[in-house]
Every structure is written in C-alpha cells, then in structure tokens.
Amino acid sequence: MLPLHDWLLLASICALGAMTPGISLAVITRHTLHGGARAGAIAGLTHALGVGIWAAATVAGMAVLFKRYPGLELAFSLLGALFLLWMAWKSWQASRQAQAPAHTSPPPNVLHGAAWDGFAVAFLNPKVALFFLALFSQFLSSEMGQPARIQIALTAMIIDGGWYVLVALLLGRSRFLPWLREHHHWVERGTAVLLVVIACSVVTQTLWLDPPALTWG
C-alpha cells in the first residue's frame, strides 16, 4: 500500500481535479435540475465509473499507448467532441420545452439518461487518461505491488464519485433549485453553448494546435 503521506498527496490532487468546474459539473447540474438529487447522484456515480476505468487502465499501462499511438487519442477526442455536440443539441431542444414538475421518484428514462451521460462524458475523454498518466507517474514504480496499484485507481474513482454525488445532493436540496427550474431554459441554453465551445476547443486543439502524428505503429 502507499505510504500515508503519498496517499494524502494523491487524494488532494484528485480532489482538486474533481472540483475544477467544467463540463462534468455542468452535466451533473443539468440532470439534478431535471431529475432531482437522485438523477444527479446517479450521473455522479457513473461519471466516477468512467473515471475509474481510465484510472485502472492508466495504472495498467494503457495510457502509454496514447503516447506511442497518437491516433488512438485522436479517435477518442473526436468521438468525445461529437458526443458533446449531441448533448448540446439535446440541451438546446430541452430549453424549448416546458419544465416538467419535480418528481419524487424520477421516471426510469430520466435515470437511464443521467447514468449514460455521466459515464460517457468521462469515458469519452482521453485527457482523463493523460492526466492520470502524469499524476500516477509520480507514485507508480515497477516494484509496486498490486494492492497499491488498486489503491491508486480506487482513490481517483471514489473521490470523483464522492464529490459529484455531494454536489447533486446539496443542489437537489437547495433553495436555489426552484429558481433554476423556473429559469431552466437559460440553464439549458447556457449548457448547450458551453458544450459547443468545449467541443470546438477539443477539435481545434486536436487537429490544429496540437495535431498528433497519424501513425499507428
């Protein structure tokens, strides 16, 4: 297992990474707005699952493939950008619809949508793997045992899930939520614009500012 001071440093950096505002926070907020704390928490848990997959893959050495085969990162980046644009279209369409009454128990389709969006926004982002590659390289060694490697991956996943579930629970029980529901069309449009901006940024950075060498071997 990791020494306590190393684990505390790892946990602190993972917490800062999770708390940084971005597209993940926007997705959790959107689903909390529509489905309440339960939907937001489910999106947070599946987001953590996507993060956990990348963390485990990075510990296992998969992120090195992005360095060796840049085409993999290109493919994931463009797929992620397309997903963000699709989510932006959904948000813009939702802004034209009346806000449904809050549900004590959200319908299954709302929960399924929250689960999928939470997972996909993390899993379709290869930058997560590269972040973990840079972070975990400070802690991993060839002599490290399997328990310590599992500890590293679980730390990243649990902190990510814990943070976004906390956000969903606090927002879902906040006095601010009724105001958000009343002005949901602005929230949806703002989310759509944010998603388009991020998607365009991903494409621009991937294809023009930092283009990978398109070789697979």
Side-chain angles (χ1 to χ4, degrees):
M1 304 295 283
L2 286 178
L4 179 59
H5 64 278
D6 285 351
W7 180 81
L8 289 175
L9 178 59
L10 172 67
S12 299
I13 298 174
C14 288
L16 289 174
M19 293 177 183
T20 302
I23 182 57
S24 299
L25 180 61
V27 170
I28 303 303
T29 300
R30 180 177 184 271
H31 282 291
T32 304
L33 172 65
H34 285 288
R38 185 179 177 188
I42 288 176
L45 289 174
T46 56
H47 185 277
L49 177 61
V51 166
I53 290 174
W54 280 124
T58 304
V59 168
M62 180 175 287
V64 177
L65 292 176
F66 286 149
K67 292 292 186 181
R68 186 172 182 182
Y69 304 105
L72 283 175
E73 183 184 353
L74 172 67
F76 265 96
S77 294
L78 295 181
L79 184 61
L82 288 175
F83 174 73
L84 293 179
L85 291 175
W86 176 71
M87 286 189 63
W89 179 80
K90 286 203 309 178
S91 290
W92 193 265
Q93 291 296 108
S95 71
R96 301 178 177 179
Q97 302 170 1
Q99 173 66 48
H103 296 280
T104 304
S105 297
N109 63 310
V110 171
L111 299 181
H112 292 161
W116 166 249
D117 288 349
F119 174 77
V121 79
F123 183 71
L124 294 179
N125 184 4
K127 300 299 182 185
V128 175
L130 297 178
F131 168 77
F132 285 144
L133 178 61
L135 173 59
F136 292 170
S137 64
Q138 308 303 312
F139 301 93
L140 290 170
S141 66
S142 58
E143 300 82 15
M144 179 174 287
Q146 195 66 20
R149 294 174 182 270
I150 294 174
Q151 179 189 17
I152 289 175
L154 285 179
T155 295
M157 183 174 69
I158 291 173
I159 288 178
D160 182 88
W163 168 248
Y164 285 119
V165 168
L166 178 62
V167 168
L169 293 178
L170 291 178
L171 181 59
R173 290 164 172 75
S174 169
R175 296 181 181 179
F176 189 53
L177 187 61
W179 184 90
L180 286 175
R181 290 184 180 276
E182 183 179 350
H183 298 85
H184 82 100
H185 52 286
W186 292 115
V187 176
E188 292 287 4
R189 290 174 185 175
T191 301
V193 170
L194 175 63
L195 291 170
V196 170
V197 169
I198 294 177
C200 292
S201 175
V202 169
V203 173
T204 300
Q205 183 176 3
T206 301
L207 296 181
W208 286 284
L209 298 183
D210 188 23
L214 297 182
T215 58
W216 294 78

PDB file of all heavy atoms in Angstrom, residues 41-60:
ATOM      1  N   ALA A  41     -27.129  12.306  -8.582  1.00  0.00           N
ATOM      2  CA  ALA A  41     -26.218  11.387  -7.900  1.00  0.00           C
ATOM      3  C   ALA A  41     -25.875  10.190  -8.785  1.00  0.00           C
ATOM      4  O   ALA A  41     -24.722   9.732  -8.797  1.00  0.00           O
ATOM      5  CB  ALA A  41     -26.844  10.914  -6.590  1.00  0.00           C
ATOM      6  N   ILE A  42     -26.852   9.690  -9.530  1.00  0.00           N
ATOM      7  CA  ILE A  42     -26.585   8.576 -10.440  1.00  0.00           C
ATOM      8  C   ILE A  42     -25.603   9.004 -11.525  1.00  0.00           C
ATOM      9  O   ILE A  42     -24.669   8.268 -11.874  1.00  0.00           O
ATOM     10  CB  ILE A  42     -27.899   8.061 -11.057  1.00  0.00           C
ATOM     11  CG1 ILE A  42     -28.708   7.303  -9.991  1.00  0.00           C
ATOM     12  CG2 ILE A  42     -27.631   7.164 -12.266  1.00  0.00           C
ATOM     13  CD1 ILE A  42     -30.046   6.832 -10.457  1.00  0.00           C
ATOM     14  N   ALA A  43     -25.790  10.212 -12.060  1.00  0.00           N
ATOM     15  CA  ALA A  43     -24.838  10.724 -13.045  1.00  0.00           C
ATOM     16  C   ALA A  43     -23.444  10.843 -12.439  1.00  0.00           C
ATOM     17  O   ALA A  43     -22.439  10.536 -13.088  1.00  0.00           O
ATOM     18  CB  ALA A  43     -25.306  12.081 -13.573  1.00  0.00           C
ATOM     19  N   GLY A  44     -23.383  11.263 -11.168  1.00  0.00           N
ATOM     20  CA  GLY A  44     -22.095  11.363 -10.494  1.00  0.00           C
ATOM     21  C   GLY A  44     -21.429  10.014 -10.306  1.00  0.00           C
ATOM     22  O   GLY A  44     -20.214   9.878 -10.474  1.00  0.00           O
ATOM     23  N   LEU A  45     -22.217   9.005  -9.968  1.00  0.00           N
ATOM     24  CA  LEU A  45     -21.658   7.660  -9.754  1.00  0.00           C
ATOM     25  C   LEU A  45     -21.156   7.050 -11.061  1.00  0.00           C
ATOM     26  O   LEU A  45     -20.085   6.427 -11.092  1.00  0.00           O
ATOM     27  CB  LEU A  45     -22.714   6.756  -9.123  1.00  0.00           C
ATOM     28  CG  LEU A  45     -23.070   7.065  -7.661  1.00  0.00           C
ATOM     29  CD1 LEU A  45     -24.231   6.208  -7.201  1.00  0.00           C
ATOM     30  CD2 LEU A  45     -21.854   6.848  -6.752  1.00  0.00           C
ATOM     31  N   THR A  46     -21.921   7.216 -12.133  1.00  0.00           N
ATOM     32  CA  THR A  46     -21.466   6.649 -13.403  1.00  0.00           C
ATOM     33  C   THR A  46     -20.299   7.448 -13.973  1.00  0.00           C
ATOM     34  O   THR A  46     -19.451   6.897 -14.677  1.00  0.00           O
ATOM     35  CB  THR A  46     -22.613   6.588 -14.429  1.00  0.00           C
ATOM     36  OG1 THR A  46     -23.179   7.901 -14.604  1.00  0.00           O
ATOM     37  CG2 THR A  46     -23.696   5.631 -13.966  1.00  0.00           C
ATOM     38  N   HIS A  47     -20.253   8.741 -13.675  1.00  0.00           N
ATOM     39  CA  HIS A  47     -19.076   9.532 -14.046  1.00  0.00           C
ATOM     40  C   HIS A  47     -17.841   8.965 -13.357  1.00  0.00           C
ATOM     41  O   HIS A  47     -16.777   8.817 -13.965  1.00  0.00           O
ATOM     42  CB  HIS A  47     -19.289  10.991 -13.649  1.00  0.00           C
ATOM     43  CG  HIS A  47     -18.191  11.906 -14.088  1.00  0.00           C
ATOM     44  ND1 HIS A  47     -17.015  12.067 -13.380  1.00  0.00           N
ATOM     45  CD2 HIS A  47     -18.075  12.720 -15.182  1.00  0.00           C
ATOM     46  CE1 HIS A  47     -16.239  12.931 -13.999  1.00  0.00           C
ATOM     47  NE2 HIS A  47     -16.847  13.341 -15.100  1.00  0.00           N
ATOM     48  N   ALA A  48     -18.001   8.630 -12.083  1.00  0.00           N
ATOM     49  CA  ALA A  48     -16.882   8.024 -11.344  1.00  0.00           C
ATOM     50  C   ALA A  48     -16.481   6.686 -11.949  1.00  0.00           C
ATOM     51  O   ALA A  48     -15.295   6.332 -11.958  1.00  0.00           O
ATOM     52  CB  ALA A  48     -17.264   7.851  -9.879  1.00  0.00           C
ATOM     53  N   LEU A  49     -17.460   5.930 -12.460  1.00  0.00           N
ATOM     54  CA  LEU A  49     -17.148   4.663 -13.111  1.00  0.00           C
ATOM     55  C   LEU A  49     -16.275   4.897 -14.339  1.00  0.00           C
ATOM     56  O   LEU A  49     -15.284   4.183 -14.566  1.00  0.00           O
ATOM     57  CB  LEU A  49     -18.434   3.941 -13.504  1.00  0.00           C
ATOM     58  CG  LEU A  49     -18.265   2.625 -14.271  1.00  0.00           C
ATOM     59  CD1 LEU A  49     -17.489   1.612 -13.442  1.00  0.00           C
ATOM     60  CD2 LEU A  49     -19.632   2.061 -14.673  1.00  0.00           C
ATOM     61  N   GLY A  50     -16.645   5.897 -15.155  1.00  0.00           N
ATOM     62  CA  GLY A  50     -15.820   6.220 -16.324  1.00  0.00           C
ATOM     63  C   GLY A  50     -14.428   6.653 -15.932  1.00  0.00           C
ATOM     64  O   GLY A  50     -13.437   6.237 -16.541  1.00  0.00           O
ATOM     65  N   VAL A  51     -14.327   7.475 -14.892  1.00  0.00           N
ATOM     66  CA  VAL A  51     -13.020   7.901 -14.388  1.00  0.00           C
ATOM     67  C   VAL A  51     -12.240   6.694 -13.862  1.00  0.00           C
ATOM     68  O   VAL A  51     -11.029   6.565 -14.082  1.00  0.00           O
ATOM     69  CB  VAL A  51     -13.193   8.963 -13.284  1.00  0.00           C
ATOM     70  CG1 VAL A  51     -11.898   9.174 -12.503  1.00  0.00           C
ATOM     71  CG2 VAL A  51     -13.656  10.281 -13.895  1.00  0.00           C
ATOM     72  N   GLY A  52     -12.945   5.800 -13.156  1.00  0.00           N
ATOM     73  CA  GLY A  52     -12.287   4.622 -12.606  1.00  0.00           C
ATOM     74  C   GLY A  52     -11.716   3.713 -13.676  1.00  0.00           C
ATOM     75  O   GLY A  52     -10.642   3.128 -13.499  1.00  0.00           O
ATOM     76  N   ILE A  53     -12.425   3.590 -14.802  1.00  0.00           N
ATOM     77  CA  ILE A  53     -11.920   2.766 -15.906  1.00  0.00           C
ATOM     78  C   ILE A  53     -10.616   3.353 -16.444  1.00  0.00           C
ATOM     79  O   ILE A  53      -9.636   2.635 -16.671  1.00  0.00           O
ATOM     80  CB  ILE A  53     -12.976   2.651 -17.017  1.00  0.00           C
ATOM     81  CG1 ILE A  53     -14.155   1.793 -16.532  1.00  0.00           C
ATOM     82  CG2 ILE A  53     -12.367   2.054 -18.287  1.00  0.00           C
ATOM     83  CD1 ILE A  53     -15.314   1.735 -17.507  1.00  0.00           C
ATOM     84  N   TRP A  54     -10.593   4.682 -16.634  1.00  0.00           N
ATOM     85  CA  TRP A  54      -9.368   5.310 -17.111  1.00  0.00           C
ATOM     86  C   TRP A  54      -8.257   5.193 -16.083  1.00  0.00           C
ATOM     87  O   TRP A  54      -7.088   4.984 -16.449  1.00  0.00           O
ATOM     88  CB  TRP A  54      -9.616   6.779 -17.440  1.00  0.00           C
ATOM     89  CG  TRP A  54     -10.258   7.040 -18.757  1.00  0.00           C
ATOM     90  CD1 TRP A  54     -11.416   7.736 -18.996  1.00  0.00           C
ATOM     91  CD2 TRP A  54      -9.789   6.634 -20.047  1.00  0.00           C
ATOM     92  NE1 TRP A  54     -11.702   7.773 -20.329  1.00  0.00           N
ATOM     93  CE2 TRP A  54     -10.702   7.103 -21.007  1.00  0.00           C
ATOM     94  CE3 TRP A  54      -8.680   5.911 -20.468  1.00  0.00           C
ATOM     95  CZ2 TRP A  54     -10.552   6.890 -22.362  1.00  0.00           C
ATOM     96  CZ3 TRP A  54      -8.515   5.688 -21.834  1.00  0.00           C
ATOM     97  CH2 TRP A  54      -9.445   6.171 -22.766  1.00  0.00           C
ATOM     98  N   ALA A  55      -8.596   5.339 -14.795  1.00  0.00           N
ATOM     99  CA  ALA A  55      -7.573   5.234 -13.756  1.00  0.00           C
ATOM    100  C   ALA A  55      -6.974   3.829 -13.738  1.00  0.00           C
ATOM    101  O   ALA A  55      -5.753   3.663 -13.664  1.00  0.00           O
ATOM    102  CB  ALA A  55      -8.178   5.581 -12.390  1.00  0.00           C
ATOM    103  N   ALA A  56      -7.836   2.816 -13.813  1.00  0.00           N
ATOM    104  CA  ALA A  56      -7.347   1.436 -13.811  1.00  0.00           C
ATOM    105  C   ALA A  56      -6.529   1.149 -15.062  1.00  0.00           C
ATOM    106  O   ALA A  56      -5.478   0.486 -15.000  1.00  0.00           O
ATOM    107  CB  ALA A  56      -8.527   0.467 -13.713  1.00  0.00           C
ATOM    108  N   ALA A  57      -6.991   1.662 -16.210  1.00  0.00           N
ATOM    109  CA  ALA A  57      -6.253   1.439 -17.454  1.00  0.00           C
ATOM    110  C   ALA A  57      -4.896   2.126 -17.409  1.00  0.00           C
ATOM    111  O   ALA A  57      -3.898   1.594 -17.913  1.00  0.00           O
ATOM    112  CB  ALA A  57      -7.072   1.949 -18.637  1.00  0.00           C
ATOM    113  N   THR A  58      -4.853   3.300 -16.801  1.00  0.00           N
ATOM    114  CA  THR A  58      -3.590   4.026 -16.704  1.00  0.00           C
ATOM    115  C   THR A  58      -2.605   3.284 -15.814  1.00  0.00           C
ATOM    116  O   THR A  58      -1.420   3.149 -16.141  1.00  0.00           O
ATOM    117  CB  THR A  58      -3.831   5.445 -16.156  1.00  0.00           C
ATOM    118  OG1 THR A  58      -4.775   6.118 -16.991  1.00  0.00           O
ATOM    119  CG2 THR A  58      -2.539   6.241 -16.137  1.00  0.00           C
ATOM    120  N   VAL A  59      -3.096   2.806 -14.678  1.00  0.00           N
ATOM    121  CA  VAL A  59      -2.254   2.028 -13.781  1.00  0.00           C
ATOM    122  C   VAL A  59      -1.733   0.784 -14.495  1.00  0.00           C
ATOM    123  O   VAL A  59      -0.586   0.362 -14.301  1.00  0.00           O
ATOM    124  CB  VAL A  59      -3.030   1.639 -12.502  1.00  0.00           C
ATOM    125  CG1 VAL A  59      -2.270   0.602 -11.696  1.00  0.00           C
ATOM    126  CG2 VAL A  59      -3.282   2.871 -11.648  1.00  0.00           C
ATOM    127  N   ALA A  60      -2.578   0.204 -15.358  1.00  0.00           N
ATOM    128  CA  ALA A  60      -2.180  -0.991 -16.089  1.00  0.00           C
ATOM    129  C   ALA A  60      -1.261  -0.685 -17.268  1.00  0.00           C
ATOM    130  O   ALA A  60      -0.724  -1.595 -17.895  1.00  0.00           O
ATOM    131  CB  ALA A  60      -3.411  -1.732 -16.587  1.00  0.00           C
TER     132      ALA A  60
END
